[in-house]
Amino acid sequence: MPTENPYTTPEAAVEMADDALYQPKFLSTSGRIGRLRYLAYGTSINLLLYLVMIPLVGTSALIGQAQQESMSSIGGIIVLLLYIVTIIFSVIFARRRLNDLDKTGWLLLLFLVPIVNVGLVIYLVFFGGSDRSNRFGPAPVVNPLGVKVLGMLLPIIFIVGILAAIAIPAYQDYIQRAQQAQMQGQ
Protein backbone atom coordinates (compact mmCIF):
# COMPACT_ATOMS: atom_id res chain seq x y z
CA MET A 1 0.00 0.00 0.00
CA PRO A 2 1.51 3.30 -1.11
CA THR A 3 1.67 5.88 1.60
CA GLU A 4 1.46 9.55 0.86
CA ASN A 5 3.93 11.87 2.39
CA PRO A 6 2.02 14.41 4.51
CA TYR A 7 4.78 16.94 4.03
CA THR A 8 4.53 17.32 0.24
CA THR A 9 2.97 20.38 -1.31
CA PRO A 10 -0.61 20.09 -2.48
CA GLU A 11 -1.10 19.41 -6.16
CA ALA A 12 -4.17 21.54 -6.62
CA ALA A 13 -4.13 24.36 -9.16
CA VAL A 14 -4.11 27.58 -7.22
CA GLU A 15 -5.41 30.62 -9.08
CA MET A 16 -4.22 34.02 -7.98
CA ALA A 17 -6.96 36.59 -7.57
CA ASP A 18 -4.58 39.37 -8.67
CA ASP A 19 -4.21 37.83 -12.12
CA ALA A 20 -7.93 38.00 -12.87
CA LEU A 21 -8.98 40.33 -15.67
CA TYR A 22 -12.39 41.56 -16.70
CA GLN A 23 -13.89 42.95 -19.89
CA PRO A 24 -15.09 46.54 -19.26
CA LYS A 25 -18.47 47.42 -20.67
CA PHE A 26 -19.00 50.80 -22.35
CA LEU A 27 -22.13 51.88 -20.46
CA SER A 28 -21.24 50.33 -17.11
CA THR A 29 -21.09 52.60 -14.07
CA SER A 30 -18.68 50.44 -12.10
CA GLY A 31 -15.31 48.85 -12.66
CA ARG A 32 -12.06 50.19 -13.97
CA ILE A 33 -10.86 51.59 -17.29
CA GLY A 34 -7.33 52.44 -18.34
CA ARG A 35 -5.99 55.61 -19.93
CA LEU A 36 -6.53 54.63 -23.54
CA ARG A 37 -10.00 53.26 -22.88
CA TYR A 38 -10.84 56.50 -20.98
CA LEU A 39 -9.84 58.54 -24.04
CA ALA A 40 -11.68 56.16 -26.39
CA TYR A 41 -14.91 56.20 -24.39
CA GLY A 42 -14.82 59.99 -24.05
CA THR A 43 -14.10 60.42 -27.76
CA SER A 44 -16.88 58.05 -28.76
CA ILE A 45 -19.51 59.71 -26.55
CA ASN A 46 -18.55 63.14 -27.92
CA LEU A 47 -18.60 61.89 -31.53
CA LEU A 48 -22.07 60.46 -30.92
CA LEU A 49 -23.14 63.79 -29.46
CA TYR A 50 -21.91 65.68 -32.52
CA LEU A 51 -23.42 63.20 -34.98
CA VAL A 52 -26.82 63.68 -33.35
CA MET A 53 -26.47 67.38 -32.60
CA ILE A 54 -25.31 68.70 -35.99
CA PRO A 55 -28.39 67.59 -37.96
CA LEU A 56 -30.63 68.51 -35.04
CA VAL A 57 -29.26 72.05 -34.79
CA GLY A 58 -29.42 72.47 -38.57
CA THR A 59 -33.05 71.40 -38.84
CA SER A 60 -33.94 73.40 -35.75
CA ALA A 61 -32.43 76.51 -37.30
CA LEU A 62 -34.29 75.95 -40.57
CA ILE A 63 -37.58 75.36 -38.79
CA GLY A 64 -36.96 78.37 -36.56
CA GLN A 65 -36.41 80.63 -39.58
CA ALA A 66 -39.32 79.24 -41.56
CA GLN A 67 -41.93 79.01 -38.81
CA GLN A 68 -41.85 80.07 -35.20
CA GLU A 69 -39.16 80.64 -32.68
CA SER A 70 -40.78 78.07 -30.37
CA MET A 71 -39.66 75.23 -32.65
CA SER A 72 -36.13 76.58 -32.46
CA SER A 73 -36.29 76.63 -28.67
CA ILE A 74 -37.39 72.98 -28.65
CA GLY A 75 -34.22 72.15 -30.58
CA GLY A 76 -32.22 74.13 -28.03
CA ILE A 77 -33.78 72.15 -25.19
CA ILE A 78 -32.94 68.88 -26.94
CA VAL A 79 -29.32 70.02 -27.42
CA LEU A 80 -29.15 70.98 -23.74
CA LEU A 81 -30.44 67.52 -22.75
CA LEU A 82 -27.83 65.89 -24.99
CA TYR A 83 -25.11 67.94 -23.31
CA ILE A 84 -26.36 66.87 -19.88
CA VAL A 85 -26.25 63.21 -20.96
CA THR A 86 -22.70 63.73 -22.25
CA ILE A 87 -21.63 65.30 -18.96
CA ILE A 88 -23.14 62.39 -17.03
CA PHE A 89 -21.22 59.86 -19.13
CA SER A 90 -18.03 61.92 -18.81
CA VAL A 91 -18.37 61.83 -15.01
CA ILE A 92 -18.97 58.07 -15.09
CA PHE A 93 -15.90 57.50 -17.27
CA ALA A 94 -13.75 59.75 -15.05
CA ARG A 95 -14.92 57.88 -11.95
CA ARG A 96 -14.04 54.55 -13.54
CA ARG A 97 -10.64 55.96 -14.49
CA LEU A 98 -10.09 57.07 -10.88
CA ASN A 99 -11.03 53.54 -9.80
CA ASP A 100 -8.24 52.24 -12.03
CA LEU A 101 -5.87 54.62 -10.26
CA ASP A 102 -7.13 53.18 -6.93
CA LYS A 103 -8.59 56.56 -5.96
CA THR A 104 -12.05 57.39 -4.74
CA GLY A 105 -14.67 58.91 -7.03
CA TRP A 106 -15.01 61.86 -4.67
CA LEU A 107 -11.93 63.35 -6.33
CA LEU A 108 -14.26 64.24 -9.20
CA LEU A 109 -15.30 67.25 -7.14
CA LEU A 110 -11.91 68.71 -8.09
CA PHE A 111 -13.36 69.29 -11.57
CA LEU A 112 -15.28 72.18 -10.01
CA VAL A 113 -12.09 73.95 -8.88
CA PRO A 114 -10.46 76.11 -11.58
CA ILE A 115 -6.82 75.30 -12.42
CA VAL A 116 -6.98 72.17 -10.25
CA ASN A 117 -9.35 70.61 -12.80
CA VAL A 118 -6.62 70.85 -15.44
CA GLY A 119 -4.28 68.97 -13.12
CA LEU A 120 -6.93 66.32 -12.58
CA VAL A 121 -7.36 65.83 -16.34
CA ILE A 122 -3.58 65.50 -16.71
CA TYR A 123 -3.59 62.96 -13.88
CA LEU A 124 -6.40 60.94 -15.47
CA VAL A 125 -4.83 60.89 -18.93
CA PHE A 126 -1.12 60.49 -18.21
CA PHE A 127 -0.78 58.46 -15.00
CA GLY A 128 -0.91 54.67 -15.16
CA GLY A 129 -3.41 52.66 -13.18
CA SER A 130 -2.91 49.60 -11.00
CA ASP A 131 -1.52 46.63 -12.88
CA ARG A 132 -3.23 44.15 -10.59
CA SER A 133 -6.54 44.00 -8.79
CA ASN A 134 -7.23 46.84 -6.43
CA ARG A 135 -10.09 47.68 -4.08
CA PHE A 136 -12.31 48.57 -7.08
CA GLY A 137 -11.94 45.27 -8.87
CA PRO A 138 -9.69 43.35 -11.24
CA ALA A 139 -7.64 45.00 -13.94
CA PRO A 140 -9.28 45.42 -17.37
CA VAL A 141 -8.25 43.24 -20.30
CA VAL A 142 -5.88 44.41 -23.00
CA ASN A 143 -7.44 47.02 -25.28
CA PRO A 144 -8.80 45.77 -28.62
CA LEU A 145 -8.02 47.54 -31.90
CA GLY A 146 -11.21 49.62 -31.87
CA VAL A 147 -10.36 51.10 -28.47
CA LYS A 148 -6.82 51.85 -29.64
CA VAL A 149 -8.07 53.64 -32.76
CA LEU A 150 -10.69 55.68 -30.87
CA GLY A 151 -8.23 56.45 -28.08
CA MET A 152 -5.67 57.84 -30.49
CA LEU A 153 -8.26 59.76 -32.52
CA LEU A 154 -8.63 62.60 -29.98
CA PRO A 155 -4.89 63.40 -29.72
CA ILE A 156 -4.60 63.29 -33.52
CA ILE A 157 -7.55 65.67 -33.92
CA PHE A 158 -5.99 67.92 -31.27
CA ILE A 159 -2.61 68.03 -33.04
CA VAL A 160 -4.17 68.56 -36.49
CA GLY A 161 -6.30 71.37 -35.04
CA ILE A 162 -3.26 73.12 -33.60
CA LEU A 163 -1.36 72.77 -36.86
CA ALA A 164 -4.34 74.09 -38.81
CA ALA A 165 -4.68 77.05 -36.43
CA ILE A 166 -1.06 77.93 -37.16
CA ALA A 167 -0.93 77.08 -40.87
CA ILE A 168 -4.18 78.64 -42.15
CA PRO A 169 -3.48 82.22 -40.96
CA ALA A 170 0.14 81.91 -42.15
CA TYR A 171 -1.05 80.75 -45.58
CA GLN A 172 -3.61 83.58 -45.80
CA ASP A 173 -0.88 86.07 -44.92
CA TYR A 174 1.34 84.54 -47.60
CA ILE A 175 -1.46 84.86 -50.20
CA GLN A 176 -2.02 88.54 -49.30
CA ARG A 177 1.69 89.35 -49.51
CA ALA A 178 1.97 87.50 -52.83
CA GLN A 179 -0.99 89.43 -54.26
CA GLN A 180 0.47 92.73 -53.07
CA ALA A 181 3.85 91.90 -54.59
CA GLN A 182 2.18 90.89 -57.85
CA MET A 183 0.24 94.18 -57.97
CA GLN A 184 3.39 96.20 -57.29
CA GLY A 185 5.21 94.35 -60.08
CA GLN A 186 2.59 95.37 -62.69
Side-chain angles (χ1 to χ4, degrees):
M1 172 165 139
T3 59
E4 293 185 30
N5 185 353
Y7 301 109
T8 60
T9 58
E11 297 196 18
V14 178
E15 207 171 297
M16 298 297 290
D18 286 344
D19 294 336
L21 298 174
Y22 85 105
Q23 177 65 43
K25 294 184 177 36
F26 179 68
L27 298 177
S28 175
T29 58
S30 63
R32 300 168 46 185
I33 55 174
R35 292 177 282 196
L36 194 59
R37 199 173 294 260
Y38 174 67
L39 286 174
Y41 285 2
T43 301
S44 63
I45 202 72
N46 280 312
L47 286 176
L48 286 173
L49 170 75
Y50 296 139
L51 287 176
V52 170
M53 197 171 66
I54 289 171
L56 185 68
V57 169
T59 56
S60 174
L62 290 175
I63 290 172
Q65 289 175 356
Q67 294 178 356
Q68 314 166 0
E69 292 298 321
S70 64
M71 294 302 284
S72 179
S73 63
I74 291 173
I77 291 171
I78 292 173
V79 168
L80 179 67
L81 291 175
L82 287 172
Y83 269 119
I84 290 171
V85 168
T86 303
I87 290 170
I88 289 170
F89 278 115
S90 297
V91 167
I92 290 170
F93 298 150
R95 181 179 155 263
R96 292 175 67 191
R97 178 69 186 118
L98 282 170
N99 288 349
D100 189 49
L101 293 162
D102 204 16
K103 303 293 183 210
T104 180
W106 288 104
L107 286 177
L108 289 174
L109 293 174
L110 293 176
F111 275 126
L112 302 174
V113 181
I115 309 279
V116 175
N117 55 11
V118 174
L120 182 60
V121 169
I122 290 170
Y123 180 64
L124 291 175
V125 172
F126 292 108
F127 283 75
S130 304
D131 291 334
R132 299 190 173 269
S133 295
N134 63 20
R135 61 187 167 141
F136 297 103
V141 297
V142 177
N143 296 320
L145 181 63
V147 168
K148 290 177 183 176
V149 169
L150 272 175
M152 296 311 293
L153 188 64
L154 185 67
I156 290 171
I157 290 172
F158 184 72
I159 291 169
V160 168
I162 289 174
L163 291 176
I166 294 169
I168 291 173
Y171 181 71
Q172 289 174 340
D173 183 50
Y174 167 76
I175 294 291
Q176 287 176 350
R177 285 188 286 135
Q179 288 174 347
Q180 287 175 355
Q182 192 176 31
M183 294 183 86
Q184 289 176 355
Q186 290 179 352

